[in-house]
Amino acid sequence: MQLTAPAGRRTGIRDTDGMAVASFVLGLLGLLVLNVFLGPSAIVLASVALWRGTARRGRALLGLGLGVADLVVLAVLMQADGTISWSF
């Protein structure tokens, strides 16, 4: 027995929409904690979502921008204290 998606359901689009939202959330969280991991993750997810043609293009672009901002914040803070980790 083979399980398939119903004819009216487009799972590929839903997956890319989920990637766009996940990139936004990871980019936003990356500004606060673990930006060395969450920033690149947000960039990759946003890039894949945009490449696959997500319906949530704005959310993916925000995730991409926030991922880049995470890395910029990391670079600035690394220059300020000379370490990879930082805290409040």
Side-chain angles (χ1 to χ4, degrees), residues 13-86:
I13 297 297
R14 284 187 52 210
D15 290 344
T16 57
D17 290 349
M19 285 183 203
V21 172
S23 71
F24 174 72
V25 171
L26 290 177
L28 201 57
L29 285 174
L31 289 174
L32 301 174
V33 294
L34 295 174
N35 51 0
V36 70
F37 299 112
L38 297 180
S41 299
I43 293 170
V44 168
L45 282 174
S47 299
V48 170
L50 288 169
W51 182 69
R52 289 186 180 179
T54 183
R56 297 181 184 245
R57 185 171 170 81
R59 191 75 43 101
L61 289 172
L62 281 172
L64 184 64
L66 285 170
V68 170
D70 291 346
L71 296 179
V72 169
V73 166
L74 177 66
V76 168
L77 292 173
M78 283 174 52
Q79 290 296 320
D81 9 341
T83 64
I84 287 182
S85 64
W86 60 278

